[in-house]
Amino acid sequence: MDRIIFCILVCTCIFVSSSKVHAADNAVILLYHHVSDTTPASTSVTPETFTQHMNYLAEHYNVLPLKDIVVALQNKQTLPDNALAITFDDGFKNIYQNGHPIMAKLNLPYTVFINPDLVNKVDYHLSWDDMRNMAEHGASFANHNLRHEHLLNRLPDESDDAWLSRRIADIEQAESLLEDNLNVKDKFFAYPYGEFSPALQARLTELGYVGFAQSSGAIASYSDFSALSRFPAAGIYANLDRLKVKMASLAMPVTNVSPATPLVSPAPFVFQFSIQSDDINNSQLSCYFQGNSQAITREDERISVAFTQQLPFGRSRINCTAPSKRQPSRYYWYSKPWFVPTEDGKWLD
């Protein structure tokens, strides 16, 4: 996908439903981890680059609390133009040290997904006092599981029901600690490593949680609220010119996705979904996997991509985009993640 980024122009944000453009039903969520020049490059943005990002957002976007955006979309309420939320995963101390002063200066709200069992136990995680200080200047906090671990990992001979019960117990305990220490009651949950399963999604939805993934794309009222997309904005994705295009994207109205699960065999399979929108010309849709354009079969609104290559172990995703007919420099964006364990059933960091 990044190969076409430089040929896309950025313009004023518009918003979409499944068939028509509306100035009410679209938002973008950005995802950061570290704000530091001494942490792993793949998940880091330097303080200088982060300052550049935030200055641009303060001037060009309506940066809103994550809760405001989610509630508005869930209830099909009007959002302002250029609505955007800023999130961080993992609760690193450098968010407070290097990121928070910039956010506070610009009066930008943001949300940090934390691991409560690590608070006051490891020096790299935010403390409760850190978070209380941050909350006084626009920060909010949410659930990233009790500990930062692969939720798809299982104990030896663990049944499906036992695995799910154990994972939900950890998530619920983390939520209780957030409420006890920060009075958080939102039930927002970001999957560690962005990994999830249909069973986990369904149970969290039953319990009233909103889930946040690490697949790319904008969100709308018709998005999957058990795994909302967020655009990574650090590491190789930190270039502001490329990020501008993603922040201007539109949520693609897809239905009938197959396979519906992100848990797939590494063997070849066919990925399919449907698009019905009078603002999208399906013949202009492109899909990219690991930077390479994929061959697409189109049958009316049905899109098919045959994966003849085996998927890599770990996490990967396919990104599909199509220009808006009404504003062709704006792109609808859909991303589907795939999770494949190693041959011995392990999940890669």
Side-chain angles (χ1 to χ4, degrees):
M1 180 60 212
D2 281 343
R3 293 184 178 183
I4 66 169
I5 291 294
F6 288 111
C7 69
I8 303 173
L9 300 176
V10 179
C11 66
T12 304
C13 285
I14 60 173
F15 303 90
V16 299
S17 70
S18 61
S19 62
K20 295 182 179 180
V21 174
H22 297 287
D25 196 23
N26 202 87
V28 165
I29 307 173
L30 297 184
L31 167 61
Y32 295 90
H33 287 83
H34 293 282
V35 182
S36 173
D37 51 15
T38 62
T39 47
S42 61
T43 54
S44 299
V45 61
T46 67
E48 293 76 20
T49 298
F50 187 72
T51 299
Q52 181 189 33
H53 288 188
M54 295 305 107
N55 283 335
Y56 182 83
L57 291 177
E59 183 176 354
H60 297 282
Y61 278 82
N62 280 304
V63 179
L64 303 176
L66 182 63
K67 183 176 181 178
D68 290 5
I69 287 176
V70 170
V71 170
L73 293 179
Q74 285 179 318
N75 293 283
K76 302 186 187 304
Q77 297 171 343
T78 299
L79 280 172
D81 289 347
N82 307 333
L84 182 144
I86 300 165
T87 65
F88 297 84
D89 280 5
D90 302 346
F92 291 115
K93 178 80 76 169
N94 57 57
I95 301 169
Y96 183 36
Q97 296 167 332
N98 301 326
H100 177 69
I102 299 166
M103 309 289 283
K105 179 180 178 180
L106 295 171
N107 196 30
L108 297 177
Y110 63 98
T111 297
V112 184
F113 290 93
I114 69 161
N115 304 114
D117 195 46
L118 302 182
V119 177
N120 296 337
K121 294 181 180 178
V122 295
D123 59 8
Y124 59 80
H125 197 286
L126 295 166
S127 70
W128 293 121
D129 284 342
D130 292 338
M131 290 183 270
R132 293 185 189 103
N133 289 334
M134 294 161 75
E136 293 179 359
H137 300 93
S140 60
F141 299 88
N143 195 336
H144 199 38
N145 194 44
L146 193 60
R147 295 165 294 274
H148 195 271
E149 57 188 344
H150 295 277
L151 298 185
L152 300 178
N153 272 345
R154 301 201 179 205
L155 300 176
D157 301 319
E158 189 173 36
S159 69
D160 291 348
D161 288 344
W163 165 79
L164 184 59
S165 295
R166 179 169 60 88
R167 291 310 189 192
I168 293 298
D170 280 354
I171 293 168
E172 292 275 66
Q173 184 179 350
E175 195 70 18
S176 294
L177 288 169
L178 278 161
E179 183 172 357
D180 291 345
N181 288 278
L182 299 173
N183 198 33
V184 170
K185 301 178 182 180
D186 297 330
K187 287 198 167 185
F188 288 176
F189 181 75
Y191 300 100
Y193 300 100
E195 297 169 347
F196 54 88
S197 72
L200 188 58
Q201 290 175 270
R203 184 64 180 133
L204 288 173
T205 299
E206 290 174 0
L207 293 170
Y209 284 87
V210 174
F212 296 86
Q214 294 185 17
S215 52
S216 301
I219 61 172
S221 63
Y222 47 82
S223 294
D224 179 1
F225 282 83
S226 71
L228 291 173
S229 296
R230 296 182 291 168
F231 278 112
I236 62 174
Y237 306 108
N239 180 280
L240 183 56
D241 287 335
R242 299 183 182 186
L243 192 59
K244 287 176 183 178
V245 176
K246 297 172 182 178
M247 293 189 296
S249 66
L250 305 167
M252 187 179 290
V254 302
T255 58
N256 302 318
V257 178
S258 176
T261 176
L263 304 175
V264 293
S265 166
F269 64 95
V270 177
F271 172 54
Q272 296 181 309
F273 58 93
S274 298
I275 304 174
Q276 290 181 306
S277 172
D278 64 8
D279 194 41
I280 296 177
N281 184 341
N282 287 1
S283 67
Q284 293 182 291
L285 182 135
S286 299
C287 291
Y288 298 82
F289 182 73
Q290 295 184 325
N292 297 315
S293 179
Q294 302 296 295
I296 296 174
T297 301
R298 301 172 179 85
E299 186 176 352
D300 296 326
E301 74 274 7
R302 194 68 173 164
I303 305 297
S304 299
V305 180
F307 277 86
T308 57
Q309 73 276 45
Q310 291 197 347
L311 297 184
F313 297 134
R315 298 172 295 280
S316 58
R317 64 188 179 215
I318 185 169
N319 292 329
C320 297
T321 63
S324 164
K325 291 180 182 178
R326 297 180 179 88
Q327 295 196 15
S329 57
R330 301 303 308 282
Y331 273 64
Y332 290 89
W333 195 302
Y334 173 62
S335 180
K336 176 69 175 180
W338 310 118
F339 310 136
V340 178
T342 62
E343 292 177 349
D344 59 355
K346 302 299 182 182
W347 296 93
L348 300 177
D349 289 348

